[in-house]
């Protein structure tokens, strides 16, 4: 890409040094380790490091220009911009020739359920014959490509490259999880969305955003910045989300179970844990681009959980807006097998073992509410305390658990610090542990805490009986839980059964 074309696309406040505008730039990066000969280095300030401190290293690796927010003494041509993060996003769009304009792009945001909703949408459109890609918490995935994710929404330069690669591979639809971090840090800047949705909101990521108000402000950018041609699906059961109806230029469709919305859910049956319900479009929606007719669509899910109903409500709406027929949607959701760690059924024979990321109050509430509706004998709960997120979040999570515990046939409750599997960043601090134990003690529960995840699983599993449910619950600290279960099952098995469990381990993302 010619340098002049790139620089014409960003607002430059000042310059230092001479550089040929006709240079052909092979690459742009914000990480000096990714810089090669002839590249542009964008120096961004992060929480832990300042990219301006790595300008010399970038030059040594071959950078010919640095994009900065202030001049440095480094002997390399520099251009000063107001915000290098914005500049990186704009440069990325230009460098990869705005690939989102060549795709149908669906942006999904919510505190909980982004990943499951995104994969439901993927499967609906795959069933309808589209070539589909996903960008999200678990992976960047299209055709036979699967790249495990580091960020829910990749850095802008990587995101635009993924989208260009998808266009080149013949992808037609991309379903993208859009995080609050991505919106605050401009990773998703410049994406041309066709449909966006906001399904739920609860307190999360305060370690980054500082306050819930800031979190919601950045979370809602996806909706507030939508343009007139973009369909906007809002779950108005949440008052804050309902308040966005008049704060977007987008073409709004309201959804909800509790409030009078255009789209809703009726006749929910969760007795087996696997929902049956009717998806209902109550009011026709007609605009210059989008049409939705009244319909009653019976749905059966093969994934457990009340939250799956809410996710499906949003996913179905994407399909209908783009003209996917009802029978195709019904079949796609009936065949949908779920997403890792989202109320995932990992064993279902004489008893059931479920795996859920139990991230925050809302997620905990919908998971435990689902268990209240299910028919089984006893519940055995192993909870991985959430490390590195502060005492307040752990206190709130514990308070939410306490609200539900007396409603459940709870026989065993054990917590773990998962010390052998968490990174330093996710280690449970003494204050976080104390917050959890304090809430439990005040509620009258003496919850044993086991330092080692594998030992904790073994101690609870021994007491699980026929027709019971064993719930592996927790975020980073429980990420290895299913693997430990499958390894134990493989050790006790032979032949095809052993191969089955080993394959599950091998395919774990």
């Amino acid at each position: 890409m010619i340098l002049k074309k790139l620089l014409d696309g960003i607002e430059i406040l000042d310059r230092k040094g001479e550089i040929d505008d006709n240079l052909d730039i092979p690459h742009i990066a914000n990480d000096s380790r990714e810089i090669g000969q002839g590249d542009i280095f964008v120096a961004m300030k992060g929480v832990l490091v300042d990219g301006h401190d790595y300008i010399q290293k970038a030059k040594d690796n071959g950078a010919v220009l640095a994009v900065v927010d202030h001049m440095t003494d480094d002997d390399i041509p520099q251009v000063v911009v107001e915000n290098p993060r914005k500049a990186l996003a704009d440069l990325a769009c230009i460098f990869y020739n705005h690939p989102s304009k060549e795709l149908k792009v669906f942006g999904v945001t919510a505190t909980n359920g982004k990943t499951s909703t995104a994969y439901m949408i993927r499967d609906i459109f795959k069933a309808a014959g589209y070539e589909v890609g996903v960008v999200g918490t678990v992976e960047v995935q299209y055709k036979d490509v699967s790249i495990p994710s580091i960020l829910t929404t990749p850095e802008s330069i990587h995101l635009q490259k993924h989208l260009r690669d998808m266009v080149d591979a013949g992808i037609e639809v991309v379903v993208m999880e859009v995080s609050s971090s991505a919106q605050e840090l401009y990773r998703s800047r410049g994406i041309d969305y066709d449909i966006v949705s906001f399904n739920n909101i609860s307190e999360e990521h305060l370690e980054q955003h500082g306050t819930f108000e800031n979190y919601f402000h950045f979370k809602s950018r996806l909706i507030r910045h939508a343009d007139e041609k973009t369909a906007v699906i809002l779950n108005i059961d949440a008052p804050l989300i309902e308040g966005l109806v008049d704060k977007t230029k987008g073409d709004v469709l309201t959804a909800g179970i509790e409030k009078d919305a255009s789209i809703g859910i009726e006749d929910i049956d969760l007795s087996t844990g696997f929902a049956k319900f009717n998806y209902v479009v109550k009011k026709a929606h007609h605009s210059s681009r989008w049409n939705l007719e009244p319909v009653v669509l019976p749905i059966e899910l093969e994934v457990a959980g009340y939250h799956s109903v809410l996710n499906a409500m949003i996913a179905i709406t994407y399909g209908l807006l783009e003209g996917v027929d009802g029978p195709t949607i019904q079949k796609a959701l009936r065949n949908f097998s779920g997403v890792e760690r989202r109320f995932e059924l990992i064993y279902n024979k004489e008893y059931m073992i479920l795996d859920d990321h139990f991230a925050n109050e809302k997620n905990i509430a919908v998971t435990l509410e689902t268990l209240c509706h299910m028919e089984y004998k006893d519940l055995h709960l192993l909870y991985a305390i959430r490390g590195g997120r502060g005492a307040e979040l752990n206190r709130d999570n514990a308070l939410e658990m306490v609200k539900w515990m007396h409603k459940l046939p709870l026989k065993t409750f054990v917590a773990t610090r998962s010390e052998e599997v968490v990174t330093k960043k996710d280690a449970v601090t003494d204050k976080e542990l104390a917050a959890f134990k304090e809430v439990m003690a005040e509620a009258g529960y003496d919850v044993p805490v086991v330092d080692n995840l594998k030992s904790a699983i073994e101690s609870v599993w021994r007491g699980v009986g026929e027709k019971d449910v064993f719930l592996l619950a927790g975020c980073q600290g429980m990420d290895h839980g299913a693997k430990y279960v499958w390894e134990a099952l493989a050790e006790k098995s032979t032949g095809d059964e052993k191969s089955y469990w080993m394959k599950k381990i091998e395919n774990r993302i």
Side-chain angles (χ1 to χ4, degrees), residues 56-240:
Q56 186 59 48
K57 184 177 180 183
K59 184 195 175 187
D60 294 344
N61 287 345
V64 296
L65 176 70
V67 179
V68 299
D69 66 14
H70 66 276
M71 294 291 189
T72 72
D73 294 333
D74 300 288
D75 183 22
I76 182 175
Q78 299 172 32
V79 294
V80 179
V81 297
E82 180 186 4
N83 187 322
R85 289 188 178 279
K86 280 187 180 179
L88 179 65
D90 294 340
L91 289 169
C93 288
I94 298 165
F95 188 82
Y96 288 108
N97 198 21
H98 301 276
S100 66
K101 294 182 183 297
E102 301 175 54
L103 298 157
K104 291 182 186 292
V105 181
F106 303 150
V108 177
T109 203
T111 301
N112 298 300
K114 293 187 297 296
T115 303
S116 295
T117 303
Y119 279 83
M120 284 181 175
I121 297 167
R122 180 199 68 172
D123 285 8
I124 286 170
F125 280 85
K126 285 181 75 172
Y130 289 87
E131 291 287 355
V132 188
V134 173
V135 177
T137 304
V138 177
E139 61 185 333
V140 174
Q141 188 275 322
Y142 59 98
K143 292 199 170 177
D144 60 351
V145 175
S146 177
I147 305 168
S149 295
I150 298 171
L151 300 168
T152 293
T153 312
E155 190 56 77
S156 57
I157 191 68
H158 301 134
L159 175 59
Q160 295 296 332
K161 182 181 187 305
H162 289 317
L163 295 178
R164 174 49 59 193
D165 289 344
M166 289 182 187
V167 171
D168 293 345
I171 298 301
E172 302 163 286
V173 169
V174 173
V175 191
M176 195 169 97
E177 295 181 53
V178 187
S179 67
S180 57
S181 299
Q183 295 178 79
E184 180 181 12
L185 301 178
Y186 301 103
R187 295 182 198 134
S188 55
R189 178 178 168 88
I191 299 295
D192 185 28
Y193 297 103
D194 292 82
I195 307 175
V196 295
S197 61
F198 198 164
N199 197 3
N200 57 70
I201 182 74
S202 59
E203 198 166 283
E204 179 72 301
H205 295 306
L206 299 194
E207 76 283 354
Q208 176 180 334
H209 301 295
T211 67
F212 177 72
E213 289 74 20
N214 286 342
Y215 170 60
F216 179 71
H217 171 75
F218 292 116
K219 197 77 169 164
S220 62
R221 265 187 180 172
L222 181 67
I223 306 303
R224 291 184 289 106
H225 292 187
D227 60 26
E228 295 89 343
K229 69 176 178 57
T230 303
V232 174
I233 308 167
L234 299 178
N235 183 352
I236 62 170
D237 284 345
L240 281 173

Side-chain angles (χ1 to χ4, degrees), residues 4 10 56 71 83 85 116 121 148 159 202 218 228 267 281 286 291 297 329 334 344 368 372 385 404-405 410 438:
K4 184 178 187 309
I10 60 174
Q56 186 59 48
M71 294 291 189
N83 187 322
R85 289 188 178 279
S116 295
I121 297 167
L159 175 59
S202 59
F218 292 116
E228 295 89 343
D267 302 325
V281 177
H286 299 289
N291 292 294
L297 198 60
I329 292 171
R334 196 162 53 244
E344 180 186 7
L368 297 183
C372 286
I385 299 168
W404 294 92
M405 283 160 63
L410 187 63
E438 181 182 317

